[in-house]
Structure formats: C-alpha cells, structure tokens
Amino acid sequence: MNDYQEVRFDATPCNDTITDVLAAVIADAGFESFVPDEKGLTAYVKNELYNIDTINSILENFPIEGVKFNVKSTFVEGKDWNSEWEKNYFQPIVIANKCVIHSSFHTDIPECEYDIVIDPKMAFGTGHHATTSQIVQQLLSTDLNGISLMDMGTGTGILAILAAMRGAKADAVEIDEMAYVNAAENVKINNHPEINVMLGDASLLPAEPKYDILLANINRNIILSDLHSYAAAVKSGGNIILSGFYHEDIPLLLEEGKKYGLEYVTDTQMDKWACLKLVKK
C-alpha cells in the first residue's frame, strides 16, 4: 500500500543548516520527502519502514551539538499524492533560463527551450531541491547528443528525461517501486518512452563499461557503497556526476573514487549541497 508516516521534527534552535543535516541523516532511515520551515522539518517515510527506535538513535547521535528535537508522527493513508503536491509544495521552476519543470495541473507556464512535465506523486526530484537543480545545470551545459547515459536513483525521472531531450540514449534505475512507476509514467508523459526505466539498484549496472555519463543523485553513504559499480559501468574518459551530499563530503568521495580510477573535474555548491563531477581515466 502507498501508506506513509508523516513525521514532524521541531528543532531548538533551528536554522537551514540544522534542517539540511537532519534531512540528510534521516534519509538513511528511508525518509523520502522533506519540507523544511523556520521551526523544523516535516518528513515522510513509508509506513513499513517507520521505526521510532531508529529515529531516536539518529537524533541522539545528531552531528550538531546542542540541538533538541520534539518528534511527532501521523499515519497518512495512501492518497492522490499529485493533489497533495499541487496544494502544498510543487510550483513551476525555471532553471538557467533554459528548462522549465512543471506538472500537468499547472497553468501560465513560462516558455523555455526544454519543457518537462513532472507529476511527482511521492517521488523525489521536481527540480526545486539544490541537488537536482545543480545536475540539471550540468546537463544543460554538456553536449549530450548521441551519448549513453545512466541515471541512478532516478526518482521522478526528471534527469533522464532532460538528457533524452538533449539527445542522449538514457537508462534509469530506481529502487523504490512507487517511484519507479512514477518515473515510467513521466517518461511517457514527456514523449520519451524509449528511456529504459528499471526497478532495482546498482546490481543492475553492467560490469563492463557502457555509459559515457552516469548520474547519481542519492546520498553520500549509498554513493560510497556503490561507487565501484558506477566506475565499472562508465567508459574511459566518461564522467560521473554526483549529488545528494554536502560540500564537506567531497574529500571523502574523492578518496574513494581514486580506488576506481576516478579523478576530480569540478564541483558546484548550492544551499550547502554539492554537485561533484568526476572523470574515469
């Protein structure tokens, strides 16, 4: 069932750094969507993954000292998540004056070279988060015509869709079944059914080099665990573009990447979130 727990974290004190770090650490416990505000964070996790003991352990070991949390959870029965996003969160966004991302229920949409329709349901990736936005900008500044591309943790499918619009032959992998279904729907809505959306994890990646570019907008721990598989799947001279972590995590990722012939190219930063580009030698 598509049932969730809505978990409210009130933080004292509270600022952008605290809510960003909180989102990052609870993501490892299965939380998928995050709505920060001036008092804390509202986050969503599938009902079957909700574990208060895990949450308490995370908060007891919170990496910022002196923060106190008040936690309250509410069961949310499966519903029309498109409607919820329409009412509360998702508004059209324009990135780099070239790409507009909106949902099918939006009107008065700005005209851009690339027009992407996303009905996000509960999947991550509307372009509003700094991680998605930075990778979108990387794709907009890269010649993708004729290249092969893999989008790991595709979420709504937005990155694979933009890559296909710009001429790439795109594959995508998503571990969450509901997000996988949503991504498959979105690639059809955008008239790119040729994008191969797969349900699974890094074990689906080929052991031999296949892709010119691999994207992974996930989180630091998963990237560190799967970086060897990413590297094996990318051609020599190809790029791996990573996000879903903080700028201070970059040295750790670079150290791990060196084991697999990955070298630093460039990085960007937005709202403390980083996007790292590597090349495979």
Side-chain angles (χ1 to χ4, degrees):
M1 295 180 66
N2 194 20
D3 297 333
Y4 279 78
Q5 287 285 338
E6 178 185 274
V7 184
R8 175 66 194 176
F9 298 85
D10 287 320
T12 306
C14 184
N15 54 45
D16 290 344
T17 299
I18 289 171
T19 54
D20 280 349
V21 172
L22 178 59
V25 295
I26 64 175
D28 291 335
F31 282 81
E32 300 174 10
S33 299
F34 313 93
V35 184
D37 56 50
E38 68 278 4
K39 294 183 179 180
L41 182 76
T42 301
Y44 295 86
V45 62
K46 284 187 173 180
N47 188 59
E48 62 268 26
L49 298 178
Y50 176 69
N51 187 312
I52 188 60
D53 292 334
T54 299
I55 292 173
N56 287 336
S57 177
I58 290 172
L59 298 182
E60 287 172 3
N61 295 282
F62 194 66
I64 300 176
E65 294 183 359
V67 184
K68 296 182 179 180
F69 292 98
N70 182 44
V71 181
K72 181 180 179 181
S73 63
T74 304
F75 176 77
V76 182
E77 188 176 357
K79 62 176 72 174
D80 182 354
W81 291 110
N82 281 337
S83 177
E84 291 300 302
W85 277 89
E86 177 183 7
K87 289 186 295 184
N88 298 305
Y89 311 124
F90 184 26
Q91 297 300 319
I93 182 173
V94 175
I95 299 177
N97 295 317
K98 290 183 178 180
C99 179
V100 61
I101 302 162
H102 61 92
S103 195
S104 58
F105 47 69
H106 288 135
T107 58
D108 299 324
I109 302 158
E111 291 188 9
C112 286
E113 183 177 359
Y114 302 102
D115 186 308
I116 301 178
V117 180
I118 295 294
D119 284 337
K121 297 186 179 177
M122 206 60 182
F124 177 82
T126 61
H128 289 71
H129 197 276
T131 58
T132 310
S133 181
Q134 287 181 92
I135 296 184
V136 166
Q137 293 185 61
Q138 285 279 351
L139 295 178
L140 290 172
S141 63
T142 303
D143 182 5
L144 302 180
N145 193 40
I147 66 98
S148 56
L149 179 143
M150 166 57 76
D151 179 19
M152 293 298 301
T154 194
T156 59
I158 183 175
L159 299 175
I161 291 166
L162 177 59
M165 287 181 171
R166 303 203 68 239
K169 183 182 183 301
D171 293 334
V173 169
E174 173 56 52
I175 194 170
D176 179 85
E177 186 171 0
M178 290 300 299
Y180 158 76
V181 171
N182 184 221
E185 292 171 348
N186 287 329
V187 300
K188 292 180 181 178
I189 291 172
N190 288 275
N191 298 314
H192 282 282
E194 78 281 2
I195 297 173
N196 181 24
V197 183
M198 296 172 276
L199 177 63
D201 56 20
S203 65
L204 294 178
L205 288 171
E208 299 296 327
K210 176 180 178 180
Y211 298 104
D212 298 298
I213 296 177
L214 183 144
L215 314 174
N217 182 17
I218 308 180
N219 67 54
R220 185 194 70 178
N221 291 342
I222 291 177
I223 290 172
L224 286 170
S225 175
D226 292 342
L227 200 53
H228 66 287
S229 297
Y230 301 166
V234 172
K235 300 174 184 177
S236 178
N239 292 123
I240 296 178
I241 301 174
L242 305 171
S243 196
F245 48 86
Y246 292 102
H247 197 263
E248 54 264 34
D249 293 322
I250 288 179
L252 184 62
L253 291 162
L254 290 177
E255 181 180 357
E256 183 69 14
K258 285 181 181 178
K259 300 177 184 177
Y260 314 113
L262 302 176
E263 296 186 3
Y264 174 87
V265 177
T266 188
D267 69 85
T268 59
Q269 182 178 357
M270 181 184 297
D271 298 332
K272 305 179 185 66
W273 294 95
C275 179
L276 175 63
K277 185 176 183 179
L278 305 172
V279 64
K280 181 179 177 182
K281 293 299 184 180

